Amino acid sequence: MVNVLKPQNLQDALNMLSQKRLMIYNGGTDLMIRYQATSGTLPRFLNDVLCIGNLEELRSIDIGPEWIKIGSAVTLSEILDHKDMPEMIKLPLREIGSLAIRNLGTIGGNICNASPAGDSLTMLYALEAEVVIASQDKGERRMSIGDFILGPKQNILHPDELLVRIDIPRSSMNHIYYRKVGARTANAISKLSFYGAAKQEGDILKDIRIAFGAVGPTVVRSKSNESELIRADRSERLEIGLKVYDPLITPIDDVRSSKTYRKKVALNLLKDFLDKEMSS
Amino acid sequence: MDIRFTLNGQMVTLSTQPTRRLLDVLRDDFHLTAAKEGCGEGECGACSVLLDGKLVNSCLIMVTAIEGREVLTLEGFKETQRFQALKQGFKKAGSVQCGFCTSGFILAAEALLSVNPHPTEIEVRRAVEGNLCRCTGYSMIIDGILEASKAGDGLW
């Protein structure tokens, strides 16, 4: 029979994790589906379960002058309801699941699932988020979100490690754009998604971030393309943008959508962002 | 494992396997059958309950995770005047056909109106986006909620 472990604090949790392999229960909204068995029977967890959703150390939101730090057990609703949370962070999170899912699901869970279609991920890549990982033996280590996610549904965590916090550097942007394309407006896994943010002053582009979701094994972002857009003349930006992003968008056919559709719509969204959004 | 929580205003203690779903515990142990299993995947909202006042899908919650927390099911909500307003609104608008989804929609409506007492139609639609109905085509349910928010002015 599967045991459920309820650590008193993070240290306790890391100690338990250092001793044996455990299933991590944070919000539970993905875990309970992935391991569900016949209706009314117990979930078929592979190992004992470690409940981290209540751990105080993972539940804080700290909005500072340079960084926004969010604990990995903070729910999506808590982020959306926070009065000082910048809109550029909230925008994609609003599109996840439904209210009932967002009230339980956590930012940490969305990241650790590392789905190519993960809705928080385009934003986190674009805003250069860093993740903080902890274990009993190695203490804390820190890395960029791009280094944390290794491939579809694969993250870098060792079995004795937990994602404890997400740190997002503050940036000032005056254009924020997010589109999620899915079969319906809620409870839909993205066919593709696009996150764009830019700081534009008159004709000068001071900063631009572009990230595509679900059109490759991980989020597609290119700093060199972004630099090229910044260097370009305003009138050339669209043409250059479409040219340089085209080879980077390599979707597949799957149950949700086709590669042709994904590619076409991804470039349409880029165009909408560079053309319409940035000229308003 | 012993799990202590508040259910419809009363402190209860349950001895059961900790990985059981809250939905099954409510229906099988407490015989509170308003919450129903429509999909078992958190997509349909038929299993909705309020956990510490927040709308959640009880099919996705391990019962051990509600230790020390407050669960409100439709059976508890039925005792309130707010419920009466929703009931009248649903009656007037013809919001109920087979009734399977109704418990979930009522609790989603309560979750909305308790933070937004006078929602627009779009806001109502957004608030019930996690609830599915196979019978009504949704319009009558949306109307029922809007009717309740107007006629029940002051309750929320």
Side-chain angles (χ1 to χ4, degrees):
Chain A
M1 205 195 76
V2 166
N3 293 312
V4 172
L5 306 177
K6 302 195 87 174
Q8 298 297 311
N9 51 48
L10 179 60
Q11 203 59 4
D12 208 11
L14 294 175
N15 178 257
M16 290 169 178
L17 261 181
S18 73
Q19 289 170 34
K20 58 177 176 172
R21 216 176 188 111
L22 297 167
M23 307 236 80
I24 309 294
Y25 186 100
N26 194 355
T29 53
D30 268 322
L31 200 74
M32 291 295 278
I33 300 174
R34 212 178 315 141
Y35 295 98
Q36 72 177 172
T38 318
S39 165
T41 66
L42 297 177
R44 293 215 184 98
F45 292 127
L46 305 174
N47 305 103
D48 289 349
V49 176
L50 182 72
C51 291
I52 64 165
N54 276 346
L55 296 177
E56 278 309 301
E57 299 96 326
L58 308 182
R59 302 265 308 126
S60 56
I61 295 178
D62 174 20
I63 313 240
E66 303 203 337
W67 291 90
I68 293 163
K69 301 184 181 187
I70 308 175
S72 62
V74 172
T75 69
L76 300 168
S77 283
E78 284 164 345
I79 298 174
L80 292 171
D81 290 343
H82 196 291
K83 64 178 176 54
D84 299 323
M85 185 67 63
E87 182 65 13
M88 69 177 88
I89 292 175
K90 292 191 198 185
L91 204 49
L93 305 184
R94 274 198 197 101
E95 313 277 333
I96 296 179
S98 62
L99 178 63
I101 298 278
R102 295 189 295 268
N103 281 338
L104 292 172
T106 62
I107 184 83
N110 199 244
I111 293 171
C112 289
N113 278 340
S115 166
D119 290 301
S120 69
L121 299 178
T122 48
M123 175 268 294
L124 292 171
Y125 273 68
L127 299 183
E128 314 212 304
E130 294 179 9
V131 298
V132 179
I133 298 167
S135 70
Q136 181 169 267
D137 296 339
K138 292 190 284 297
E140 276 192 1
R141 56 185 185 130
R142 187 183 183 89
M143 64 186 66
S144 71
I145 184 85
D147 288 337
F148 179 78
I149 291 176
L150 302 176
K153 303 261 175 176
Q154 287 166 25
N155 66 51
I156 209 173
L157 291 174
H158 296 145
D160 66 340
E161 287 180 315
L162 276 181
L163 171 67
V164 296
R165 207 175 72 227
I166 297 88
D167 292 350
I168 307 169
R170 296 200 82 144
S171 46
S172 62
M173 303 286 177
N174 50 19
H175 291 281
I176 319 265
Y177 179 104
Y178 180 72
R179 292 292 185 273
K180 170 177 175 162
V181 180
R184 54 175 295 223
T185 54
N187 275 342
I189 297 180
S190 298
K191 294 173 192 262
L192 69 133
S193 60
F194 175 91
Y195 185 92
K199 182 169 179 177
Q200 183 165 259
E201 282 163 13
D203 282 345
I204 314 270
L205 187 56
K206 306 216 107 178
D207 196 352
I208 189 164
R209 318 282 179 88
I210 289 172
F212 296 85
V215 293
T218 58
V219 167
V220 171
R221 180 183 173 213
S222 162
K223 292 211 224 184
S224 60
N225 284 0
E226 291 166 2
S227 302
E228 210 173 322
L229 287 170
I230 289 175
R231 283 194 302 270
D233 221 57
R234 187 171 184 159
S235 59
E236 299 176 313
R237 252 181 244 154
L238 177 59
E239 192 188 327
I240 289 177
L242 291 172
K243 193 183 79 180
V244 299
Y245 279 102
D246 186 296
L248 300 183
I249 296 169
T250 56
I252 57 171
D253 292 327
D254 69 13
V255 289
R256 273 181 291 280
S257 189
S258 71
K259 56 175 177 278
T260 319
Y261 178 82
R262 284 173 154 138
K263 179 135 188 175
K264 192 170 174 72
V265 177
L267 292 172
N268 283 350
L269 292 174
L270 176 65
K271 180 165 189 270
D272 197 42
F273 175 61
L274 289 177
D275 196 10
K276 270 179 42 205
E277 168 65 27
M278 304 259 299
S279 39
S280 60
Chain B
M1 189 185 248
D2 266 8
I3 299 151
R4 267 165 300 265
F5 61 103
T6 304
L7 180 57
N8 294 334
Q10 286 200 304
M11 288 275 294
V12 297
T13 305
L14 183 67
S15 260
T16 191
Q17 295 108 315
T19 58
R20 283 178 70 203
R21 301 179 310 176
L22 175 59
L23 175 64
D24 298 321
V25 162
L26 291 172
R27 292 182 59 81
D28 298 342
D29 296 22
F30 292 99
H31 308 295
L32 296 169
T33 54
K36 298 171 181 20
E37 179 160 18
C39 70
E41 300 187 328
E43 300 264 329
C44 76
C47 68
S48 300
V49 298
L50 297 178
L51 179 62
D52 296 334
K54 305 259 179 221
L55 189 72
V56 294
N57 295 319
S58 64
C59 69
L60 295 181
I61 302 177
M62 253 184 5
V63 70
T64 191
I66 60 158
E67 170 84 42
R69 300 173 77 171
E70 287 185 23
V71 176
L72 185 73
T73 71
L74 183 71
E75 291 89 344
F77 183 58
K78 268 170 79 174
E79 307 303 316
T80 67
Q81 277 197 289
R82 291 177 175 187
F83 172 78
Q84 290 304 322
L86 282 163
K87 178 177 168 179
Q88 289 312 311
F90 273 40
K91 189 169 160 186
K92 188 162 178 191
S95 312
V96 181
Q97 290 186 23
C98 81
F100 199 85
C101 72
T102 305
S103 167
F105 271 97
I106 294 276
L107 292 175
E110 162 63 14
L112 167 69
L113 296 172
S114 60
V115 297
N116 183 356
H118 299 288
T120 63
E121 184 189 323
I122 292 283
E123 286 167 336
V124 174
R125 285 182 180 274
R126 268 285 174 185
V128 300
E129 65 186 2
N131 295 78
L132 298 179
C133 173
R134 291 294 275 121
C135 299
T136 64
Y138 300 98
S139 305
M140 288 98 94
I141 298 176
I142 307 298
D143 288 345
I145 296 171
L146 287 168
E147 173 64 33
S149 74
K150 288 189 205 85
D153 189 29
L155 290 176
W156 282 281

